[in-house]
Amino acid sequence: GYEHIDGRKMSFFGFGQSADIEIFLSDIDKRKKVDLSKGDNQQSKIKAPIYYDGENVGGQIHVKLKNAGKKLEHFGIKVEFIGQIELFYDRGNHHEFTSLVKELAEPGDLTENKNYPFLFQNVEKQHETYTGINAKLRYFVRVTIIRRFGDVVKEQDIAVHTLSSYPDLNNSIKMEVGIEDCLHIEFEYNKSKYHLKDVIVGKIYFLLVRIKIKHMELAIIKRETTGSGQNTYHESENVTKHEIMDGAPVRGESIPIRLFLAGFELTPTIREVHKKFSVRYYLNLVLIDEEDRRYFKQQEIILWRKGPSKKTAAAIEADMTKKM
């Protein structure tokens, strides 16, 4: 392994020549952009273009020499497309699940600025990019100028969204929950699988109320699980809390629920990516009585990202045929 040294430090050490690398992805202006957190810093964000599974990733790489007239000796220049999972408690270890590489230049000398086109065709991108509390899944293009005294490296992240079609089976969720002889409720949510712009519609029916309920809320909880066995870490966060009712319900009363998902930062449900991490979502119904005791019932829901409907795909195809 070569150590990565920033180009600025290299010329300072008297290695003579260094270079700046810029990566320009093609058709980037046509793609939607999304905020991605940069490196380990969750706060600093970059706007990254969205790609989908099976799409090409390509563009141009510009290598600019810092000192005109001086040559840059190198042991080859390569471009890689990488998909990797980083677990924040295991920083040294990155799990690469996709790694494609192309040689841009054989070992030699660079005597002038150079542009290199590159193209990775029909790249498999089956996972959603994700930044959580303990886990991060990222896809990026990396260019490396291999040198004896420290490589020159540049990375460019992209976002990947995974699309699903409508689930064939989407049963409603019906549950009864009770505390013997003092509270008995029945709740129903219209579906068990929701797309990210969906609306959760439901109702809560009070069959028996003998405790004084002060208010009731519905929360969406996101639970991230990383690691396995002894080294399993769970992180839960409330994505939203939605007050359903203020004041005491009476027996026979029915409370409607409508919760719009579009306004929240949600990802699709992620199940066991390469045995490294999962992200699951739960609806948590919480009742609080006058003595501030909390009664709650959790139910997992599946979230998914909606692709174009079958109708649109067919319509697009029909349009194409018309044009031909």
Side-chain angles (χ1 to χ4, degrees):
Y2 294 101
E3 206 182 326
H4 294 185
I5 302 182
D6 182 328
R8 286 184 302 270
K9 290 185 195 145
M10 291 185 42
S11 45
F12 174 74
F13 286 130
F15 297 137
Q17 182 61 290
S18 185
D20 282 322
I21 302 169
E22 281 186 287
I23 300 169
F24 297 95
L25 296 168
S26 41
D27 61 294
I28 203 155
D29 42 341
K30 297 187 190 124
R31 292 186 184 274
K32 272 176 136 170
K33 311 281 190 302
V34 69
D35 282 339
L36 273 193
S37 73
K38 195 178 169 187
D40 278 354
N41 183 351
Q42 310 266 34
Q43 265 48 59
S44 90
K45 301 270 187 207
I46 51 167
K47 283 261 180 251
I50 298 173
Y51 284 76
Y52 298 98
D53 186 21
E55 288 187 322
N56 294 348
V57 178
Q60 290 275 341
I61 291 152
H62 295 185
V63 177
K64 267 177 150 154
L65 296 179
K66 291 199 174 174
N67 305 316
K70 272 192 169 181
K71 65 179 184 178
L72 176 79
E73 288 180 35
H74 64 83
F75 293 97
I77 302 174
K78 62 178 179 176
V79 58
E80 296 165 278
F81 180 76
I82 291 170
Q84 76 180 19
I85 295 169
E86 303 169 10
L87 299 178
F88 295 147
Y89 56 82
D90 187 12
R91 279 175 191 278
N93 273 326
H94 293 163
H95 172 72
E96 285 187 10
F97 54 83
T98 292
S99 175
L100 305 171
V101 63
K102 285 186 190 298
E103 299 299 328
L104 297 174
E106 294 193 334
D109 295 343
L110 269 187
T111 51
E112 55 183 359
N113 297 345
K114 267 286 231 296
N115 291 349
Y116 300 96
F118 74 98
L119 179 64
F120 293 103
Q121 278 183 308
N122 311 99
V123 184
E124 187 183 23
K125 300 182 271 314
Q126 68 197 73
H127 305 300
E128 176 107 3
T129 39
Y130 173 77
T131 302
I133 296 170
N134 281 327
K136 179 172 185 162
L137 190 148
R138 58 188 283 244
Y139 286 94
F140 56 97
V141 173
R142 178 163 68 203
V143 178
T144 309
I145 302 175
I146 303 163
R147 306 206 51 195
R148 179 179 287 138
F149 302 110
D151 300 349
V152 185
V153 180
K154 176 79 177 180
E155 292 180 353
Q156 168 91 37
D157 277 73
I158 66 167
V160 170
H161 279 180
T162 53
L163 300 177
S164 312
S165 49
Y166 274 95
D168 296 337
L169 269 178
N170 200 350
N171 302 331
S172 63
I173 297 172
K174 250 189 171 151
M175 279 175 104
E176 283 193 21
V177 45
I179 301 156
E180 211 171 319
D181 293 341
C182 54
L183 177 72
H184 201 109
I185 58 174
E186 198 175 78
F187 60 86
E188 184 171 359
Y189 305 120
N190 59 332
K191 299 187 265 201
S192 47
K193 298 169 184 166
Y194 294 92
H195 63 77
L196 299 182
K197 303 273 184 270
D198 222 332
V199 186
I200 294 175
V201 177
K203 62 170 189 282
I204 292 160
Y205 188 63
F206 290 88
L207 301 167
L208 174 69
V209 189
R210 286 203 182 131
I211 46 178
K212 292 213 156 54
I213 289 171
K214 196 165 56 171
H215 74 262
M216 189 157 87
E217 59 197 33
L218 184 65
I220 298 177
I221 292 174
K222 171 183 168 184
R223 183 170 300 149
E224 178 188 288
T225 306
T226 43
S228 57
Q230 299 263 298
N231 299 331
T232 305
Y233 299 87
H234 298 287
E235 294 284 352
S236 290
E237 56 180 305
N238 265 354
V239 176
T240 173
K241 260 193 192 150
H242 177 73
E243 189 165 71
I244 307 173
M245 181 198 73
D246 200 11
V250 294
R251 186 180 161 186
E253 191 171 354
S254 168
I255 309 262
I257 293 171
R258 282 185 86 77
L259 183 53
F260 291 83
L261 297 179
F264 305 115
E265 277 201 28
L266 299 165
T267 66
T269 295
I270 300 171
R271 290 184 183 278
E272 287 295 329
V273 186
H274 296 277
K275 299 200 163 47
K276 298 289 176 192
F277 75 99
S278 302
V279 180
R280 295 171 185 265
Y281 290 89
Y282 298 84
L283 284 178
N284 193 25
L285 183 66
V286 184
L287 289 82
I288 297 154
D289 74 9
E290 290 193 329
E291 287 161 36
D292 279 333
R293 283 182 298 213
R294 297 164 78 82
Y295 307 90
F296 63 89
K297 188 73 186 172
Q298 258 184 32
Q299 175 63 41
E300 184 175 6
I301 53 170
I302 305 290
L303 296 184
W304 56 283
R305 191 184 292 285
K306 196 172 165 181
S309 68
K310 291 189 174 72
K311 187 180 71 184
T312 354
I316 291 167
E317 217 163 285
D319 281 356
M320 298 288 274
T321 349
K322 272 183 213 157
K323 282 177 190 156
M324 284 157 80

